[in-house]
Amino acid sequence: MRISELSTRSGVAIATIKYYLREGLLHQGEQVAATRAEYDESHLRRLRLIRALLEVGRLPVAAIKQVVEAVEDETLPIHEVLGTAHYALGPTVEPEPGEAWDAALAEVDRIVAGQGWTITPHAPTRAELAQTLLTLRRLGMSVDLTRYAESARRIARDDMDKIPLDAPRESAVEAMVLGTVLYGRALDTLRRMAHESESAHRLDLAPQDTFGPAPEDAPSEGDRDAPTG
Amino acid sequence: MRISELSTRSGVAIATIKYYLREGLLHQGEQVAATRAEYDESHLRRLRLIRALLEVGRLPVAAIKQVVEAVEDETLPIHEVLGTAHYALGPTVEPEPGEAWDAALAEVDRIVAGQGWTITPHAPTRAELAQTLLTLRRLGMSVDLTRYAESARRIARDDMDKIPLDAPRESAVEAMVLGTVLYGRALDTLRRMAHESESAHRLDLAPQDTFGPAPEDAPSEGDRDAPTG
């Protein structure tokens, strides 16, 4: 197909497609004449991956380029291709060298060992979790994350059940990026919903009681103080 | 104490404190002379809350003002004060009126009912989850979130155990904001760590196999393809 059809079918503007071609995110089409290239289904699939990484994963173009290079490098095992995309999804955390940082990192390794997890030593998630632990400690909050780790393990199994590990590399990466981001967002929202409910139950409130300000046109709240039976 | 001591003890610049006073985030000190006001522990506590909302919660000043007003309104039950802060922590999602949106919202309500949760009808988390469900459906991904909701319920109980509901309103709100954001971040990182481990196990890889690109100075990866026993 021509670039105009690729644009129509993918919903990506021609100028944007040309930008992806220049940046090496999208592989070149087959040059069939001096001013015309042919594109195929592989280009459509790649555009879908780029948009997923960009719009759902909110990754910068440089990170997307790394992911695309990993997808294209046939010598890389699928686990590493997934890893490249996966690591790109997390924030970049700079270590704060010192005793407190080392202690936090050691705590991270204890949590990982406690769960029996297989994590490479250079995984960026180690520094990410160390930073959060350090912040919790500075604020005097509990740093015992055992129960969170157990929940995370259960959740990750459900996540991975949805990723077709034997599918073509691009499809597997796309499914992993979409899954990590979208199910992560769903989990975060559900957790906050459960907070509201848990707070209502602990304070023994009736279901109609409000959590936060009601909209202007909300029904009367005269029965606000009526406790649940 | 004078504003200079308040600044030193809180670590917040005098100009910033004056800005919070002007914006009504921080209550006025006691005017003891034409050009001098006295501040006390309540101001220190409030500054700590503001910084927590700003730096950890990343809330805009307008949202922080709403939270502060809820903390100060003694007629509001603690559940509503917590709710105001809690709702401010989430993104604002605009509904996309139409059949698909209504179906997604109905699905949200089914999930909530399935868990037996007490959620007010105007909770912004409903629209938030509906939007994610709609995106999942459009991408042809599974929208069955039952297991995520069950995990969220377990996690929320652990979260709420850490919030002193009988503490002064400001302390309870601060603990809830910090807990929601920091434990949420820890959970997200742990989930991604568990992904890496789960991927390694499913692909039957040895612990030394890399997930994503190794740093330049990493040891040789010659044994990359050796499977686990």
Side-chain angles (χ1 to χ4, degrees):
Chain A
M1 72 189 98
R2 295 187 182 212
I3 197 167
S4 55
E5 191 186 340
L6 182 63
S7 169
T8 309
R9 287 187 57 191
S10 64
V12 179
I14 291 179
T16 309
I17 293 177
K18 286 184 173 166
Y19 168 70
Y20 295 157
L21 286 166
R22 272 199 311 278
E23 290 292 315
L25 296 185
L26 183 64
H27 46 292
Q28 300 296 327
E30 195 194 345
Q31 207 69 34
V32 291
T35 58
R36 215 194 114 198
E38 266 295 301
Y39 300 90
D40 58 26
E41 298 300 318
S42 73
H43 295 89
L44 261 179
R45 232 179 8 249
R46 175 63 55 81
L47 282 175
R48 201 180 129 142
L49 175 65
I50 296 170
R51 302 312 285 189
L53 292 162
L54 205 63
E55 289 164 14
V56 183
R58 288 180 197 164
L59 299 194
V61 166
I64 297 180
K65 198 164 173 177
Q66 271 180 22
V67 174
V68 161
E69 280 165 3
V71 167
E72 286 183 346
D73 181 354
E74 299 287 339
T75 69
L76 281 186
I78 181 72
H79 182 63
E80 288 193 35
V81 179
L82 290 176
T84 303
H86 197 258
Y87 284 172
L89 286 175
T92 305
V93 168
E94 289 301 321
E96 306 170 37
E99 260 178 51
W101 179 263
D102 293 343
L105 213 47
E107 177 66 27
V108 169
D109 290 338
R110 267 195 298 279
I111 294 170
V112 168
Q115 297 297 320
W117 283 343
T118 300
I119 307 281
T120 54
H122 66 274
T125 37
R126 285 176 71 242
E128 210 182 303
L129 190 58
Q131 190 190 49
T132 304
L133 279 173
L134 208 54
T135 309
L136 287 171
R137 185 155 284 148
R138 280 181 188 148
L139 290 163
M141 296 169 74
S142 164
V143 296
D144 181 3
L145 300 181
T146 311
R147 292 171 64 90
Y148 290 95
E150 278 159 12
S151 293
R153 187 165 52 173
R154 271 191 296 265
I155 293 160
R157 277 205 202 112
D158 292 339
D159 289 338
M160 292 299 289
D161 282 344
K162 301 193 181 78
I163 298 178
L165 289 174
D166 50 355
R169 302 155 77 89
E170 294 212 30
S171 313
V173 169
E174 191 189 80
M176 201 209 53
V177 171
L178 294 172
T180 300
V181 175
L182 290 173
Y183 293 116
R185 197 184 290 163
L187 178 66
D188 189 65
T189 309
L190 287 164
R191 171 173 167 259
R192 283 182 286 112
M193 286 181 142
H195 282 168
E196 172 172 346
S197 183
E198 192 66 23
S199 169
H201 287 282
R202 292 192 186 203
L203 293 162
D204 200 21
L205 298 174
Q208 69 273 26
D209 286 334
T210 58
F211 187 60
E216 303 286 309
D217 56 351
S220 154
E221 289 173 17
D223 51 359
R224 177 184 286 162
D225 295 319
T228 309
Chain B
M1 73 189 97
R2 293 187 185 212
I3 195 166
S4 55
E5 189 186 341
L6 182 63
S7 170
T8 309
R9 286 186 57 192
S10 64
V12 179
I14 292 180
T16 308
I17 293 178
K18 286 185 173 166
Y19 169 71
Y20 295 157
L21 287 165
R22 272 200 311 278
E23 290 294 315
L25 297 185
L26 184 64
H27 44 293
Q28 300 295 327
E30 195 193 345
Q31 208 68 35
V32 291
T35 59
R36 214 193 114 198
E38 266 294 299
Y39 300 91
D40 59 26
E41 298 300 318
S42 73
H43 295 89
L44 262 179
R45 230 178 10 251
R46 175 61 56 82
L47 282 175
R48 201 181 128 141
L49 175 65
I50 295 170
R51 300 312 284 189
L53 293 162
L54 206 60
E55 288 163 15
V56 183
R58 288 180 197 163
L59 299 194
V61 167
I64 297 180
K65 198 163 174 180
Q66 270 182 22
V67 174
V68 161
E69 280 165 4
V71 167
E72 286 183 346
D73 180 354
E74 300 286 339
T75 69
L76 280 186
I78 180 72
H79 182 63
E80 287 193 36
V81 179
L82 289 176
T84 303
H86 198 259
Y87 284 173
L89 287 175
T92 305
V93 168
E94 289 300 323
E96 307 169 36
E99 261 178 51
W101 179 263
D102 292 344
L105 213 48
E107 177 65 26
V108 168
D109 290 340
R110 266 195 299 277
I111 294 169
V112 168
Q115 296 297 322
W117 283 342
T118 301
I119 307 282
T120 54
H122 66 272
T125 38
R126 285 176 72 241
E128 212 182 302
L129 190 58
Q131 190 190 49
T132 304
L133 279 173
L134 209 53
T135 309
L136 287 171
R137 184 155 284 148
R138 279 180 188 147
L139 290 164
M141 297 168 73
S142 164
V143 296
D144 182 3
L145 299 181
T146 311
R147 293 171 64 90
Y148 291 94
E150 279 160 12
S151 293
R153 187 165 53 174
R154 271 190 297 263
I155 293 160
R157 276 204 204 114
D158 293 339
D159 290 337
M160 292 300 290
D161 281 344
K162 303 192 179 80
I163 299 177
L165 289 175
D166 50 355
R169 303 155 75 88
E170 293 212 29
S171 314
V173 168
E174 191 189 78
M176 200 208 54
V177 170
L178 293 173
T180 299
V181 175
L182 289 173
Y183 293 114
R185 198 184 289 165
L187 178 67
D188 189 64
T189 310
L190 287 164
R191 172 174 168 258
R192 282 182 287 111
M193 287 181 141
H195 281 169
E196 171 172 347
S197 183
E198 192 66 23
S199 169
H201 287 283
R202 291 193 186 202
L203 293 163
D204 200 20
L205 298 175
Q208 70 272 25
D209 285 336
T210 58
F211 188 59
E216 303 284 309
D217 58 351
S220 153
E221 288 173 21
D223 52 359
R224 176 186 285 161
D225 295 321
T228 311

